[in-house]
Amino acid sequence: MIANPSILQMKYARIVKLFAELAGLSYEEALGKFYDSKTYFLISTGVADMHCFSDEYLADELLLEYGYMQTSEK
C-alpha cells in the first residue's frame, strides 16, 4: 500500500525529530542521515508497509542502522 504523500512528509518530520533527540544530533544531521538510510528507502517505497510502524519503532531502526544502539541478542 502506498501512503498519502502529505501524511508521509509529516511522519518523516516526526521520525527525524525523534531520531535527532535520541542520537544527540542536530535536526540537519538527522535529516541527512534519514534521507540516506535504508529505513527511508523502505518507508518511501512502501516495502512491507513500513509507514504503518510507529514513529518510535522507525527512529529505533535508524539508531540501529547507524550504530547508535545495539541489539540485545542473546
Side-chain angles (χ1 to χ4, degrees), residues 4-74:
N4 180 299
S6 297
I7 293 173
L8 272 181
Q9 290 299 317
M10 291 184 288
K11 185 164 190 75
Y12 296 160
R14 292 190 308 268
I15 294 166
V16 169
K17 181 178 184 285
L18 187 56
F19 174 52
E21 291 169 357
L22 294 173
L25 301 169
S26 71
Y27 293 137
E28 293 81 14
E29 291 172 314
L31 186 65
K33 288 182 179 291
F34 175 71
Y35 280 115
D36 288 335
S37 70
K38 292 176 186 174
T39 302
Y40 167 72
F41 174 78
L42 294 174
I43 297 168
S44 66
T45 58
V47 172
D49 289 335
M50 289 283 287
H51 62 279
C52 295
F53 287 84
S54 73
D55 300 343
E56 292 80 9
Y57 176 87
L58 295 169
D60 282 351
E61 285 297 307
L62 289 167
L63 292 171
L64 288 169
E65 184 174 338
Y66 284 104
Y68 292 102
M69 182 169 65
Q70 301 297 317
T71 59
S72 57
E73 294 180 5
K74 294 180 182 180

